[in-house]
Each structure stands twice: as structure tokens, then as C-alpha cells.
Amino acid sequence: MQAVCSGFVYGLAVADSFVRTGQARTALVVGAEVFSRILDWSDRGTCVLFGDGAGAVVLRSDERPGILASVLHADGSHAGILTAPGNVCGGKVIGSPYVRMDGPAVFKFAVRVLDEVARETVAKCGLALDDIDWLIPHQANIRILEATAKRLGVPRERLVATVDRHANTSAASVPLALDFAIRDGRVRAGHRVMLQGVGGGFTWGATLVEM
């Protein structure tokens, strides 16, 4: 699936559907990006923000649901503020293959939709924002992460931020951050974790998981 920074959340929702309908008992969901291939290294507005990475989780069928709810959205009318406009035709690249971004516009859009989709997700499973133990958005930049947490009323200490370690690795950033928080002991069994992503296209979504 290609949903850029929302890719991991999209993948979780699809895999969860397969497990719930009995088409699969176990699913491996991988988020991976190689942004270094499509960065213009003379554009300081993008090249210093993105990184390459990969992360994965395993979903298994169980009587106790781990994924409580997922909400996905897409709207192509905003594509121009974050895009890689080139395409391949006849073996040749037509147009610019590099990422182009309107940073201020992306910031405003991302914070708004991440706030909205988190509220949709908790409402879908009859919970409240206070029921979230940890917020793990895709690691776009620290300003977006902190602004989203503030709008949701999530304390800074319950926001998992690892963007300083691996930059914005797009679809890989959520599983990377989740792994980091599990390894250092913050995220434990029984915790409710809100996973979020918003990316060019535009796509966005959230999944509430009980560990």
C-alpha cells in the first residue's frame, strides 16, 4: 500500500480487517521508506527533514481485540502542498521526481486533521481522550507532534517523540517510535496507544491499540 506517512496506519487497518474476517490468523505489517532517493539535496526545506527507515509489527487472531478502532481519510484536493510531482513514462522520469513541500500549509493541515481523527477514533470505540495512555503520531517534526498533543490535551510526557533520532521516516516512523517506547519500558501491556499518520496525497488516519 502507498499512503506515504499514513501508510503504516493504513496497513494496520487492512491487516486487522483480514484477521477479523477470518481470512488470516497472523499478519506482518511493515512500514518502510527510502526518501533519500527522492530528495533534492539543494532544497534545505525538505532534505534535512526526511530519513530512511523500516519497522514492523505482528498481528495475531485473539479473543481479546488489540486494535480497538481505526479511522482512515484521504483528500486529493490538498496534494499540491506536499507532493513528488514527477512520474515514470516509457522508462523515463517526466517532471520533477523530488519531494516538494509548503511547510507552513502542511503544519496547519496536519495538526488539524490529526486532532480530528484522534477524536473520531476514540469516539468510535466509546472511549474518551483521557483514556489514551500514549500518543504516537508519525514523526513529522517536533512542532507538529507537540501542537497535536496540546490540542488533544495529552501531556507532553505521554507523547512519544523519536524524530530527533531518525528524522521523518514517513510510514516507518510509527513502528520505529512504538518499538523504542516498548524497549525503554514506557509502553506496557494493557496500555492504550493512539497511532497516527498524515501524509502527502493527502492521506491521514489513526488506530487505537490496546497492548
Side-chain angles (χ1 to χ4, degrees), residues 18-204:
F18 273 94
V19 173
R20 286 178 185 270
T21 57
Q23 297 182 69
R25 290 184 56 82
T26 304
L28 176 66
V29 183
V30 181
E33 298 285 0
V34 188
F35 258 81
S36 57
R37 295 177 179 173
I38 57 171
L39 293 176
D40 178 354
W41 295 99
S42 66
D43 178 10
R44 300 292 291 176
T46 57
C47 73
V48 298
L49 302 177
F50 294 93
D52 300 341
V57 300
V58 175
L59 301 184
R60 287 182 178 151
S61 176
D62 194 279
E63 293 181 359
R64 182 183 68 84
I67 295 182
L68 303 180
S70 294
V71 175
L72 306 177
H73 290 284
D75 184 350
S77 67
H78 301 282
I81 64 175
L82 178 55
T83 183
N87 59 78
V88 177
C89 181
K92 297 181 180 179
V93 176
I94 307 300
S96 172
Y98 300 122
V99 173
R100 294 289 179 252
M101 180 173 67
D102 178 344
V106 169
F107 176 86
K108 293 177 182 177
F109 182 85
V111 173
R112 176 175 64 81
V113 299
L114 289 173
D115 172 47
E116 292 173 351
V117 79
R119 295 175 189 276
E120 283 183 80
T121 305
V122 294
K124 188 175 180 179
C125 50
L127 297 173
L129 292 173
D130 288 343
D131 294 316
I132 299 172
D133 294 299
W134 296 100
L135 178 64
I136 306 183
H138 106 264
Q139 306 291 302
N141 69 52
I142 193 62
R143 290 178 59 244
I144 289 177
L145 271 62
E146 291 180 342
T148 301
K150 183 177 181 179
R151 286 184 64 151
L152 292 171
V154 175
R156 178 61 177 82
E157 59 269 20
R158 290 200 280 128
L159 168 68
V160 176
T162 58
V163 64
D164 59 316
R165 298 173 176 270
H166 49 66
N168 181 355
T169 53
S170 192
S173 70
V174 170
L176 285 173
L178 176 62
D179 177 71
F180 189 85
I182 290 172
R183 287 176 186 268
D184 70 16
R186 280 179 288 176
V187 173
R188 301 187 299 276
H191 283 178
R192 294 190 183 107
V193 183
M194 178 68 74
L195 309 176
Q196 297 182 293
V198 55
F202 254 78
T203 63
W204 64 99

